């Protein structure tokens, strides 16, 4: 099989990161290749999740692998058209980051556990109950499909400070 390719990750602010993504109409070989490229890009970052809009594809697709234990078998997951069907009353707070907002972290409170349905790469309907980092990650990634970033949960002043710093960083990256 041809080598996979790393995809460039869009940096906030970028209008494509604020769009609501389209449902995947058909799981094509191209979309399966994109999912593989997204997994390779995620591992390389490194990260534990990545959503298609972060690589400029405004479709409802995310990948994740939240296995953190050294030496444990990785568990790459590919979710097409994911939907949250239940959330716990309990919440927990996690210091989140984002590959599209590098070097910025902030506490975000989310439901501690969620139940999610999705289509897998074979087009099979799946359902799973997530807790811990998996729960935080899948919610963070599904937010990306809604054009929502973790900084949208912060107070306006803090969000504006992060956006201004990212604009400065992008200007410096763009300079010849
Ligand atoms: O969507 C992304 O930008 C990938 C994030 C997903 C994520 C953020 C916060 C909490 C869980 C998942 C990257 O994985 S950020 C890097 C990272 C690495 C280990 C643990 C948490 C975050
Ligand atoms: Zn993110």
């Amino acid at each position: 099989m041809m080598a996979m390719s790393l995809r460039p990750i869009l940096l906030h602010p970028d209008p494509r990161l604020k769009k609501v993504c389209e449902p995947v109409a058909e799981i094509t070989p191209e979309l399966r290749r994109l999912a593989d490229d997204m997994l390779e890009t995620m591992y390389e970052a490194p990260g534990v999740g990545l959503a298609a809009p972060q690589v400029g594809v405004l479709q409802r697709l995310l990948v994740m692998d939240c296995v953190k234990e050294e030496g444990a078998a990785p568990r790459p997951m590919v979710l097409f058209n994911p939907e949250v069907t239940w959330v716990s009353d309990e919440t927990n707070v996690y210091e989140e980051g984002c590959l599209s907002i590098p070097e910025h972290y902030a506490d975000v409170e989310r439901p501690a556990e969620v139940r999610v349905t999705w289509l897998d790469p074979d087009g099979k309907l799946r359902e799973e109950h997530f807790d811990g980092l998996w729960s935080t990650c899948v919610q963070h990634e599904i937010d990306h499909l809604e054009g929502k970033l973790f900084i949208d949960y912060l107070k306006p002043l803090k969000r504006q400070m992060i956006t201004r710093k990212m604009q400065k960083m992008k200007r410096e990256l763009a300079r010849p």
Side-chain angles (χ1 to χ4, degrees), residues 49-51 54 96-101 140-141 144 148-150:
L50 192 64
Q54 293 182 275
E96 297 195 12
C98 183
L99 295 175
S100 297
I101 313 175
H140 176 110
E141 302 310 335
H144 272 299
K148 199 170 173 75
L149 303 172
F150 82 91

Side-chain angles (χ1 to χ4, degrees), residues 5 7 24 26-38 57 59 61 80:
S5 53
R7 306 272 182 129
V24 167
E26 182 196 356
I27 298 174
T28 62
E30 292 73 28
L31 280 175
R32 278 197 287 268
R33 157 63 61 88
L34 170 64
D36 288 343
D37 289 353
M38 284 171 61
V57 176
Q59 301 226 11
L61 158 61
F80 291 101

Side-chain angles (χ1 to χ4, degrees), residues 42 46-51 54 66 68 94-101 105 133 136-138 140-141 144:
M42 177 193 79
V48 295
L50 192 64
Q54 293 182 275
C66 300
K68 299 284 288 176
Y94 194 94
E95 189 183 30
E96 297 195 12
C98 183
L99 295 175
S100 297
I101 313 175
Y105 302 90
L133 180 57
T136 301
C137 181
V138 76
H140 176 110
E141 302 310 335
H144 272 299

